[in-house]
Amino acid sequence: MTNSIWRDVRFWRIALQLVAVFLAAVVVVILWGNLQRNLRQLGIPFGFDFLKQQASFDIGETLISYKPTDTYSYALWVGLINSLRVAIAGIFLTTIVGISAGIARLSDNWLVRNIAMVYVEVFRNTPLLLQLLFWYFAVFLSFPKTENKISLWGFIGISQNGLELPWFNLSPEFSTLLLGLTFYTGAFIAEIVRGGIQSVPKGQWEAARSLGLKPGLVMRLVVFPQALRVIIPPLTSQYLNLTKNTSLAIAIGYPDIYFVASTTFNQTGKAVEVILLIMFTYLTLSLTISVVMNLFNRSVQIKER
């Protein structure tokens, strides 16, 4: 009986997993003890009571009402909403740009195919931070002032104050971050889409054409749905990257959650607590995107009979 347990593969698998969990717990306990000891030596008590204190700083751009007399927790909430605003709009726009560029990369038209190739190579091979600085300083700040704004089609105004649309205005900081993230991430998505389309067997193209379908319908009804099962897993990674890259907003002065958190720990000295809050926030956002995309991925998989 004893010998049979030592030779059981399932026993060793479970035992190794328990050992790994135990070692991970030991590392966490050691790091936590080291953190508390260092904070005591610096005379900084650990705690989140500072979140109830008055923030005493202004936030330049908010979707909800905010005053400097509000608490730090409310200021962080305002920053989170600003981050979500960029991330959601960015995911929507970069999907359109990426799919369009990916299909254009396979176009029979020489000019369209090469324009798409230049776009992909330029945007995915230059650092995102440099692109954001380019959009901000070389594009938006070079536009005329508000009184001399550029009018497009009579209802879009472009000036140093950003984009003016009939229903709302977009600040230059928000516009810069949104455009930078959209075109940078779209370049990677374009290659993912191109690879996904090329993974569909040629026989599927030929069968669709033999039914008399036009090229647009072949792509929309036959090829692209099959390519989705290859596209979605790496596409999820790009959505996660876009969401995390919103933290670069601090480089151009857009008040996202990282920007607000930086001001918070500069004023309170609670760097550890604030960093933990930021990590928890981005972890929650990333896990939410992963769950949604995994559910979508499961829904588009081919069901074998």
Side-chain angles (χ1 to χ4, degrees):
M1 181 68 180
T2 304
N3 290 334
S4 63
I5 292 177
W6 294 115
R7 294 174 181 175
D8 191 339
V9 176
R10 290 177 300 176
F11 167 78
W12 284 109
R13 286 176 179 171
I14 295 172
L16 289 175
Q17 290 179 41
L18 290 175
V19 170
V21 171
F22 174 76
L23 292 176
V26 169
V27 170
V28 170
V29 169
I30 292 173
L31 292 176
W32 181 254
N34 187 53
L35 171 65
Q36 288 190 316
R37 185 168 55 256
N38 289 336
L39 289 176
R40 277 198 302 271
Q41 291 175 353
L42 293 172
I44 303 174
F46 182 84
F48 293 90
D49 293 340
F50 70 94
L51 291 173
K52 299 176 184 176
Q53 299 173 7
Q54 183 174 303
S56 302
F57 63 85
D58 198 9
I59 298 178
E61 186 171 346
T62 64
L63 278 183
I64 58 178
S65 176
Y66 170 80
K67 304 182 295 297
T69 53
D70 289 323
T71 61
Y72 283 115
S73 60
Y74 191 75
L76 290 170
W77 175 246
V78 172
L80 175 60
I81 292 176
N82 283 343
S83 293
L84 289 174
R85 180 187 178 202
V86 175
I88 293 172
I91 287 174
F92 175 73
L93 292 177
T94 201
T95 303
I96 297 174
V97 171
I99 291 176
S100 301
I103 294 175
R105 287 273 280 150
L106 300 171
S107 173
D108 294 330
N109 186 298
W110 180 89
L111 182 61
V112 172
R113 186 173 65 252
N114 283 282
I115 288 175
M117 182 193 69
V118 170
Y119 157 69
V120 169
E121 297 303 330
V122 168
F123 279 89
R124 75 170 179 171
N125 290 313
T126 51
L128 175 58
L129 180 59
L130 290 182
Q131 292 185 32
L132 291 177
L133 296 176
F134 171 81
W135 284 108
Y136 190 62
F137 290 106
V139 177
F140 279 98
L141 293 189
S142 65
F143 285 142
K145 295 183 178 179
T146 307
E147 53 270 23
N148 298 319
K149 65 183 178 184
I150 301 171
S151 180
L152 297 178
W153 305 291
F155 63 93
I156 299 177
I158 302 176
S159 68
Q160 289 186 358
N161 285 338
L163 302 177
E164 298 179 21
L165 300 172
W167 308 280
F168 53 85
N169 295 341
L170 302 178
S171 70
E173 292 79 16
F174 175 84
S175 304
T176 295
L177 187 60
L178 183 60
L179 285 177
L181 291 173
T182 295
F183 286 108
Y184 178 77
T185 312
F188 291 92
I189 292 177
E191 287 301 274
I192 292 170
V193 170
R194 183 172 70 91
I197 292 173
Q198 289 180 324
S199 71
V200 178
K202 293 292 182 184
Q204 295 294 315
W205 294 77
E206 294 167 359
R209 290 191 187 111
S210 67
L211 294 174
L213 294 177
K214 295 181 178 179
L217 290 176
V218 172
M219 178 62 71
R220 185 163 62 88
L221 300 178
V222 178
V223 175
F224 198 75
Q226 296 185 66
L228 277 177
R229 55 182 174 159
V230 177
I231 291 173
I232 290 176
L235 183 65
T236 303
S237 298
Q238 294 306 318
Y239 288 168
L240 296 176
N241 288 337
L242 185 146
T243 304
K244 289 179 286 187
N245 284 337
T246 57
S247 60
L248 289 175
I250 195 171
I252 53 173
Y254 177 73
D256 73 324
I257 187 169
Y258 185 74
F259 182 99
V260 175
S262 299
T263 306
T264 299
F265 75 67
N266 282 334
Q267 289 189 352
T268 62
K270 297 286 187 178
V272 175
E273 292 88 339
V274 173
I275 292 297
L276 287 175
L277 286 174
I278 296 175
M279 290 173 61
F280 177 76
T281 301
Y282 280 110
L283 179 63
T284 304
L285 293 178
S286 297
L287 291 177
T288 303
I289 292 172
S290 296
V291 169
V292 172
M293 292 302 292
N294 285 337
L295 291 174
F296 180 53
N297 186 36
R298 190 177 303 171
S299 69
V300 301
Q301 292 299 311
I302 296 176
K303 307 290 189 302
E304 296 184 1
R305 297 178 180 176

